[in-house]
């Protein structure tokens, strides 16, 4: 009788790969950073103009917008995060589409990081793979498209 390979072995007999304590601590740390960003976004009141919410953090108005009349690549991100944290999906996407997607990704990342930290799972490997260029290029294209949308939105309001 031929020996069975590890791939065809029953799940109970396969070795379980667990995240190291260092990986778990890093996941907990990064998860807490993501959570703090989401909590901060929830504490802010989204600016109805679709940008400017960051000024509640005592940050100045967008210098790029003041100098050129056009928004910078991240204009509306804080407003999008705040709207997302308040469960206003449509307002979040209208404020800054990439910011809305990034807010959702931040929430997913938080839960994934906590899963790694608590259960020592290797879910973090999935997040590592998402940093491959084949995923980053489409992300950059979405980011630039969202910036174009925001520029069109600001220009059409004038």
């Amino acid at each position: 009788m031929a020996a069975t390979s590890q791939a065809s072995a029953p799940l109970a007999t396969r070795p379980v790969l667990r995240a190291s304590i260092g990986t778990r601590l890093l996941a907990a740390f990064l998860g807490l950073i993501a959570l703090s960003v989401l909590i901060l976004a929830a504490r802010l009141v989204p600016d109805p103009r679709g940008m400017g919410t960051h000024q509640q953090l005592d940050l100045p108005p967008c210098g790029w917008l003041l100098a050129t009349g056009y928004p910078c690549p991240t204009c509306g991100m804080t407003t999008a995060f705040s709207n997302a944290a308040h469960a206003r999906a449509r307002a979040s996407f209208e404020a800054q589409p990439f910011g809305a997607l990034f807010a959702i990704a931040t929430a997913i990342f938080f839960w994934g990081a906590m899963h790694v930290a608590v259960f020592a799972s290797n879910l973090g490997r999935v997040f590592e793979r998402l940093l491959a260029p084949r995923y980053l290029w489409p992300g950059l294209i979405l980011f630039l498209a969202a910036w174009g949308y925001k520029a069109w939105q600001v220009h059409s309001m004038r």
Side-chain angles (χ1 to χ4, degrees):
M1 189 183 229
T4 60
S5 69
Q6 187 174 346
S8 63
L11 280 176
T13 61
R14 289 186 194 169
V16 177
L17 301 175
R18 309 292 279 175
S20 69
I21 190 69
T23 299
R24 294 175 78 180
L25 290 172
L26 178 62
F29 177 71
L30 294 175
L32 290 175
I33 290 173
L35 179 63
S36 62
V37 168
L38 295 169
I39 290 172
L40 180 61
R43 295 183 54 99
L44 297 174
V45 177
D47 192 307
R49 297 174 299 158
M51 58 188 183
T53 303
H54 69 282
Q55 291 178 270
Q56 295 172 41
L57 301 169
D58 291 328
L59 295 170
C62 177
W64 189 326
L65 181 64
L66 293 174
T68 67
Y70 287 93
C72 75
T74 61
C75 270
M77 291 272 195
T78 308
T79 305
F81 260 79
S82 185
N83 274 312
H86 290 278
R88 298 181 190 133
R90 182 176 178 177
S92 180
F93 276 94
E94 287 174 354
Q96 216 312 341
F98 191 83
L101 293 174
F102 199 49
I104 293 167
T106 301
I108 292 168
F109 179 81
F110 163 72
W111 287 109
M114 289 299 104
H115 189 270
V116 171
V118 173
F119 299 111
S121 78
N122 278 317
L123 182 62
R125 302 254 185 235
V126 173
F127 292 119
E128 285 177 14
R129 285 188 215 123
L130 292 176
L131 295 176
R134 67 187 238 186
Y135 297 112
L136 292 178
W137 281 112
L140 177 63
I141 291 167
L142 286 173
F143 177 74
L144 294 173
W147 181 24
Y149 161 79
K150 191 66 182 182
W152 170 81
Q153 185 186 51
V154 168
H155 184 68
S156 67
M157 294 168 101
R158 294 179 176 207

